[in-house]
Amino acid sequence: MNVPLLDLKAQYAAIREEIRPALDRVVESQFFILGPEVEALESEIAAYAGVRHAIGVSSGTDGLLVALMALGIKPGDEVVTTPFSFFATAGVIARLGAVPVFADIDPATFNIDPALLGRAITPRTRAILPVHLFGQCADMDPILAAARARGIPVVEDACQSIGAEYKGRKAGSLGDLGVFSFFPSKNLGGFGDGGMVVTNDPALSERIRLLRQHGSAKTYHHKLVGGNFRLDALQAAVLRVKLKHLDGWSAARRANAARYSELLAGTGLLDRSAVQVPVREKSGDPNHHIFNQYTLRARKRDGLQAFLKAAGIGTAVYYPVPLHLQECFAGLGNKAGDFPEAEKAAAEVLSLPVYPELAREQMDHVVRKIDEFYGERKA
Ligand SMILES: *Cc1c(COP(=O)(O)O)cnc(C)c1O
């Protein structure tokens, strides 16, 4: 049996009849950049995320970059973030000449630990950039409290977490700015790159609209030095179709995650500490995890991954090297041991297939093979 990490063909097969006319509409219009499809998607995403403004951009990375540009982040400024995320989170800080300053993660959730924020904040801190990793919101109340006490803006990297909730409020609507990615493997994925910046602040929204188009509102008149960070109409048309299915897909991912955790508990592997399943909210806890990834901690992780691969099961390590140990950040002066929880996570995590179309038999197969791996190594 084959179990890919993600099966986008299965998703497309289910919505093909809705997607084709949407693509045709754009092709017939020959209007490809921004325009009515992008504006419609912006309104729909703003309503979905519970914010006043949404600005379509070329990728999640560009969304983060333009959000920091709109806040005026400049060389020498510090931005506090997590060391355990996709590279873009810290990359955009460095691209502006600013310094990524890390605060270690909470081992239970893999998200930045608010208790460690105080130590990372200095008089040069100009923004805090928490990430809602794997589809679960960071613990935002203490993060926002620390930021507000010092007048520092908060940008949420919600690239993996569109539709996730924190105490009943949607990811992206919690800080001053939120950023979503529409990379194909995200819960809401386009047919290429795309992203969205959301905010309740009309002035920030206006700045981002300008920066997205080389800082120009009137053609060939430039108020600011921006870039080409535009979303295209074909992506918007696809995303508008998919947005209608997003909550259903995320619910299926949550159900799959719950089932994995139940099946894995049944193997006894949790009691033997061979694997740890992701923290799932207790019923009544209003946090809403959308499981862009279902991520285990696993003993002998690399061996398990190779064993599963040989059994036809796709898995991934998000992420094998924490950001503070990336070669390109050697100049920041961080060293191994500085952020021990991030380093431990990097050595232990393994994400399993959790996509909505996954069949029960496929999940059974995955759990059986994991059990088999540790069973063989019991002695
Ligand atoms: C995917 C992702 C990004 C970047 O999004 P792209 O659309 O691929 O540029 C940034 N941060 C996190 C946490 C992501 O998962």
Side-chain angles (χ1 to χ4, degrees):
M1 188 184 303
N2 236 38
V3 191
L5 180 61
L6 179 63
D7 185 0
L8 287 172
K9 285 186 180 169
Q11 184 193 71
Y12 180 57
I15 57 171
R16 193 173 200 281
E17 303 314 315
E18 294 172 77
I19 294 271
R20 301 300 311 203
L23 291 175
D24 280 345
R25 195 170 66 225
V26 175
V27 173
E28 290 303 325
S29 79
Q30 290 290 299
F31 199 115
F32 292 117
I33 307 286
L34 299 179
E37 290 288 343
V38 171
E39 284 164 26
L41 178 70
E42 288 173 343
S43 310
E44 288 159 14
I45 294 281
Y48 180 81
V51 293
R52 281 202 273 282
H53 308 281
I55 306 101
V57 291
S58 34
S59 69
T61 302
D62 287 344
L64 290 167
L65 183 67
V66 80
L68 295 182
M69 288 170 77
L71 291 174
I73 302 300
K74 57 183 190 316
D77 290 348
E78 293 178 0
V79 178
V80 175
T81 191
T82 167
F84 194 60
S85 179
F86 177 59
F87 176 73
T89 306
V92 294
I93 300 169
R95 281 171 67 187
L96 293 173
V99 182
V101 174
F102 301 109
D104 209 355
I105 57 168
D106 174 348
T109 62
F110 303 112
N111 282 322
I112 195 166
D113 185 344
L116 302 175
L117 264 187
R119 268 193 257 162
I121 295 173
T122 78
R124 288 179 302 282
T125 307
R126 291 290 173 270
I128 301 177
L129 179 42
V131 178
H132 305 319
L133 202 68
F134 302 146
Q136 170 160 256
C137 288
D139 189 7
M140 289 299 287
D141 279 347
I143 295 170
L144 292 168
R148 300 233 158 102
R150 298 165 174 90
I152 301 170
V154 173
V155 180
E156 299 169 69
D157 180 341
C159 284
Q160 299 184 2
S161 296
I162 189 166
E165 289 175 22
Y166 177 79
K167 301 187 181 177
R169 288 172 294 155
K170 283 264 168 67
S173 73
L174 302 155
D176 298 273
L177 291 155
V179 181
F180 302 124
S181 164
F182 304 132
F183 184 78
S185 70
K186 309 291 163 106
N187 284 29
L188 180 62
F191 287 0
D193 280 309
M196 189 78 64
V197 184
V198 295
T199 182
N200 282 313
D201 183 326
L204 284 175
S205 167
E206 206 37 55
R207 263 180 96 73
I208 290 170
R209 279 186 190 284
L210 281 176
L211 290 167
R212 165 176 81 171
Q213 287 246 66
H214 291 297
S216 100
K218 188 174 161 206
T219 312
Y220 307 129
H221 294 71
H222 302 269
K223 283 191 191 184
L224 301 168
V225 179
N228 173 359
F229 304 128
R230 296 176 301 229
L231 182 63
D232 68 67
L234 280 167
Q235 299 308 331
V238 168
L239 292 162
R240 291 182 68 200
V241 170
K242 287 196 174 192
L243 180 60
K244 300 193 188 90
H245 298 273
L246 178 60
D247 283 344
W249 289 332
S250 293
R253 286 171 176 274
R254 285 165 61 79
N256 290 345
R259 186 145 188 278
Y260 267 136
S261 293
E262 214 174 281
L263 291 171
L264 285 164
T267 61
L269 291 173
L270 310 189
D271 303 325
R272 285 163 48 207
S273 307
V275 299
Q276 282 174 47
V277 298
V279 171
R280 201 166 34 122
E281 70 240 38
K282 299 167 202 78
S283 58
D285 180 336
N287 290 1
H288 184 83
H289 192 326
I290 57 147
F291 285 99
N292 180 242
Q293 300 299 338
Y294 179 88
T295 303
L296 299 175
R297 283 178 189 264
R299 218 200 297 142
K300 305 194 181 79
R301 190 265 318 273
D302 295 341
L304 174 63
Q305 183 176 36
F307 184 84
L308 294 177
K309 186 175 181 207
I313 298 165
T315 62
V317 174
Y318 303 119
Y319 296 91
V321 181
L323 296 173
H324 66 288
L325 299 181
Q326 291 293 343
E327 190 178 341
C328 63
F329 291 143
L332 296 178
N334 296 301
K335 58 186 186 311
D338 282 353
F339 304 101
E341 291 300 346
E343 292 167 29
K344 190 159 182 281
E348 294 181 348
V349 290
L350 190 68
S351 297
L352 303 182
V354 72
Y355 58 89
E357 299 80 10
L358 199 63
R360 293 176 75 89
E361 307 75 61
Q362 289 177 301
M363 299 182 67
D364 294 342
H365 179 65
V366 171
V367 173
R368 209 178 309 113
K369 286 291 166 188
I370 294 173
D371 197 21
E372 204 176 299
F373 173 76
Y374 291 107
E376 281 178 5
R377 280 152 186 80
K378 215 177 285 183

